Amino acid sequence: MGPIRFLVLLSLLLIQAEIIPPPNRRAAATVETQSVQAPVLKWQKSGCFASWCETGWYSSPAVADLDRDGRPEVIGSGYSIVVLDGETGELAWRVSSGHDRTEPGAGNVGRTWPGVAVADIDGDGELEIATAHGGGYISVYNHLGYFESGWPQHPVSSELRGLAVFDLEADGAMEILVTGAVSDQINAWLFEHNGVVRAGWPQLSNDSGYAWGVYNDNAAAGDVDGDGFAEIIIPSDVHYINAYEENGSQIPAHPIYGGKGWGKVGVWESLETELRGWGTCSASDDRSERYRANFAHGAGVMADLNADGVNEVIVTGNVYDCIPGYPSQYTGVYIFHADRKRFDASGFNWDAAPYDTGAPLSEDYNLIENAQPNPVITDLDGDGNKEILYASYDGRVHAFWLDKSEHGGWPFAVYNPAQGFYTFASEPVVADLDNNGTAEVIFASWVQKGTGQSGSLYVLDYLGNQIHQVGIPPAFGSADWNGALAAPTLADIDGDPDLELVLNSAHSGLLAYDLPATAEARVLWTTGRGSFRRDGYLKTEVIVSYEHQAFLPLMRRD
């Protein structure tokens, strides 16, 4: 045996004996703590008025060079839609939600819940901005803030809480999906780029499934079955998940479910009960007969989790006891194949999903705004398989590996009982900030109402160990609490080599932070719902650059 081979074998034996740490694993937290610098506040209160700010809800901001002058803009919305100079945060223009350009604040029809979408929607080589609002308005603007032809549309009077932009047939023209917080099974409208509702929509308008209101940005769109066309997944306020082809037809479930479509197979904690199709919901029976998931706030995403070239559907849901009173138990996370069967591949079996992940601290939005468990899909540890992250109503951020366990310091708690008030966390974003092979996880928090306190911006390593906690500025105006409900956005907003992070805060406007020494960062999940299309579809890893002719920083390369 040669000396080099001997040293290699000796190193492997030492690693297995845990005498020395493996590369990019045990040593990573120490390296990251030293090399990942703290976020530095760059500007704040952007988009605010002289003495107050519009409430920022769950709408994640976008970044794009809208006018192609080489200077990126930040596009955000609480109620009105604002475009800001990325370097300074100065207001470039403002329009009211759902209406044409007016004086600041005039004519707003409602808040903006889903993230602002930016894409070349009509295939003309220019970027458009799509937004959806309370009052049921959906709008598409050009880069100057004027309506594109065919917009706005007003499909329903209820609030639109979901928005996704995607190219169903890969023909160069995008479609726009909105979902509504309605009291009806018809909860989703699919528009062509010119504002015309697509044939076969809205849904659900037949008896192929069960549906009700969509109370979060739940829908996902992408090619889950490999046919080259996008499919649409819409969880809603029932314990069923609907899955549609582009023409609105329900996708069939696997034959084990008795010839049903996706939308007629309920999600139970017990697979045996799920296959039977019903539970007793009797307090005298075991939990297997009572625990099922509701998807009012349960978002879906699509991704290839195990790197086998096949996409899966990942959905979070509120697992509740179906006895009278319907008490919530924990946030469940589920993985499905394209045929609705639970994920079973590469040695990972999710027939039984993780359970008892954490009981709710509160579901009373009069006390604290609700936590939204939007799943984030990324490879935290660099092993080729992807992990599932989400924030929950238990006051923690979770990260599940495909072995159904949470590694290291996960879950991470933002709620500290000693403080005497509740704290929840936003959807995370993920990047390998120092390009060392393992990822950092970044998210914001917000606090209970009436406390006069504010949340924080957190940076964790891939094992859930805190690297930095930076306080979010206090509320500006009369509000008695602050933080950020929306997912942050990672982008280069000022043209320097480093990344910045943009937050749509609850009561201090849009904020930007410099992320020093991130010129070589790899961005893995850049913004709310994964991209500025807001489609919840992870096709490939993102890159840190401007994307060909579109000038969209940190978008995924398709």
Side-chain angles (χ1 to χ4, degrees):
M1 179 184 297
I4 294 177
R5 185 179 180 190
F6 172 78
L7 290 173
V8 171
L9 290 175
L10 178 61
S11 296
L12 290 173
L13 289 173
L14 290 172
I15 289 172
Q16 290 177 351
E18 298 189 347
I19 297 172
I20 64 174
N24 294 328
R25 294 295 185 269
R26 196 191 302 272
T30 301
V31 172
E32 289 175 350
T33 302
Q34 294 173 349
S35 62
V36 175
Q37 298 183 35
V40 178
L41 186 63
K42 182 181 182 69
W43 43 255
Q44 60 173 306
K45 301 179 186 175
S46 290
C48 294
F49 302 103
S51 61
W52 64 284
C53 304
E54 293 178 349
T55 302
W57 295 95
Y58 300 90
S59 178
S60 190
V63 176
D65 184 359
L66 293 172
D67 54 9
R68 301 194 176 185
D69 64 353
R71 296 169 60 90
E73 285 81 40
V74 173
I75 309 99
S77 184
Y79 287 77
S80 58
I81 301 142
V82 297
V83 171
L84 311 172
D85 179 88
E87 185 172 3
T88 65
E90 293 181 358
L91 181 68
W93 53 260
R94 178 195 304 270
V95 296
S96 59
S97 61
H99 291 289
D100 210 346
R101 295 186 69 158
T102 64
E103 291 301 313
N108 286 325
V109 297
R111 65 179 170 183
T112 309
W113 184 292
V116 174
V118 177
D120 181 2
I121 291 173
D122 55 11
D124 66 352
E126 300 291 336
L127 295 176
E128 287 80 41
I129 301 165
T131 59
H133 306 280
Y137 282 89
I138 173 175
S139 303
V140 177
Y141 301 93
N142 67 15
H143 71 278
L144 295 174
Y146 294 99
F147 286 133
E148 287 286 292
S149 178
W151 302 97
Q153 295 293 329
H154 189 215
V156 68
S157 60
S158 300
E159 181 173 39
L160 297 176
R161 292 197 180 178
L163 169 69
V165 176
F166 46 90
D167 187 352
L168 275 169
E169 297 95 357
D171 61 0
M174 293 192 173
E175 289 72 38
I176 302 175
L177 178 77
V178 290
T179 55
V182 298
S183 297
D184 198 294
Q185 69 173 9
I186 297 177
N187 61 19
W189 293 261
L190 183 63
F191 292 90
E192 307 289 356
H193 71 274
N194 59 3
V196 175
V197 176
R198 171 169 284 232
W201 293 83
Q203 289 296 338
L204 182 69
S205 57
N206 52 45
D207 63 355
S208 65
Y210 301 104
W212 205 247
V214 184
Y215 292 95
N216 185 23
D217 196 357
N218 288 359
D223 184 5
V224 72
D225 59 8
D227 66 353
F229 298 95
E231 287 75 44
I232 299 170
I233 304 294
I234 306 180
S236 67
D237 190 13
V238 285
H239 77 106
Y240 302 84
I241 301 167
N242 284 284
Y244 303 105
E245 299 289 1
E246 72 276 6
N247 62 3
S249 62
Q250 192 83 222
I251 297 173
H254 191 278
I256 63 171
Y257 293 107
K260 299 176 182 177
W262 266 71
K264 282 199 169 180
V265 181
V267 179
W268 293 81
E269 182 180 84
S270 164
L271 180 59
E272 180 180 355
T273 306
E274 182 171 296
L275 289 169
R276 185 207 303 151
W278 54 272
T280 65
C281 295
S282 171
S284 62
D285 286 335
D286 183 78
R287 64 189 282 174
S288 64
E289 297 287 342
R290 307 189 333 250
Y291 282 25
R292 62 189 186 190
N294 175 274
F295 300 101
H297 299 274
V301 292
M302 300 180 189
D304 178 4
L305 292 172
N306 56 329
D308 64 353
V310 179
N311 289 318
E312 286 78 42
V313 175
I314 305 96
V315 183
T316 55
N318 178 26
V319 177
Y320 67 100
D321 191 334
C322 64
I323 61 174
Y326 308 116
S328 297
Q329 304 297 313
Y330 64 91
T331 298
V333 56
Y334 306 92
I335 309 175
F336 303 103
H337 294 293
D339 61 5
R340 176 52 182 76
K341 281 190 68 177
R342 297 202 185 188
F343 178 71
D344 184 6
S346 303
F348 303 108
N349 186 301
W350 280 62
D351 283 351
Y355 62 93
D356 292 342
T357 60
L361 299 175
S362 172
E363 296 176 278
D364 181 1
Y365 60 80
N366 294 301
L367 184 66
I368 182 171
E369 295 296 342
N370 290 338
Q372 305 298 334
N374 299 356
V376 168
I377 310 302
T378 190
D379 183 0
L380 289 175
D381 55 13
D383 69 352
N385 291 324
K386 293 181 175 62
E387 285 70 53
I388 305 168
L389 294 86
Y390 63 92
S392 179
Y393 54 23
D394 64 357
R396 301 186 292 179
V397 178
H398 293 264
F400 280 97
W401 270 248
L402 288 184
D403 64 7
K404 297 191 290 188
S405 70
E406 299 194 75
H407 296 188
W410 299 106
F412 179 87
V414 296
Y415 166 59
N416 178 2
Q419 292 181 320
F421 54 82
Y422 293 134
T423 304
F424 286 150
S426 73
E427 174 186 333
V429 293
V430 184
D432 183 357
L433 295 174
D434 54 2
N435 198 20
N436 74 338
T438 58
E440 283 74 51
V441 178
I442 309 171
F443 52 88
S445 67
W446 69 93
V447 299
Q448 184 175 326
K449 297 175 181 180
T451 60
Q453 302 295 312
S454 188
S456 295
L457 181 64
Y458 291 87
V459 182
L460 311 184
D461 72 9
Y462 77 105
L463 285 175
N465 301 304
Q466 181 176 304
I467 302 174
H468 298 294
Q469 179 183 355
V470 177
I472 293 172
F476 179 59
S478 61
D480 56 16
W481 65 277
N482 199 28
L485 291 70
T489 292
L490 294 169
D492 176 15
I493 66 173
D494 58 9
D496 70 3
D498 292 329
L499 286 172
E500 284 77 39
L501 181 142
V502 184
L503 275 182
N504 185 10
S505 71
H507 296 296
S508 53
L510 286 150
L511 320 174
Y513 293 81
D514 285 312
L515 299 177
T518 54
E520 302 300 321
R522 295 183 305 115
V523 180
L524 306 175
W525 192 272
T526 187
T527 188
R529 306 296 286 141
S531 80
F532 299 141
R533 294 189 300 271
R534 313 297 177 184
D535 56 5
Y537 184 33
L538 183 64
K539 294 179 68 174
T540 59
E541 290 187 351
V542 298
I543 56 172
V544 182
S545 68
Y546 288 93
E547 185 179 82
H548 53 83
Q549 298 293 317
F551 295 98
L552 288 176
L554 307 181
M555 295 287 285
R556 297 189 298 268
R557 185 185 296 279
D558 292 342

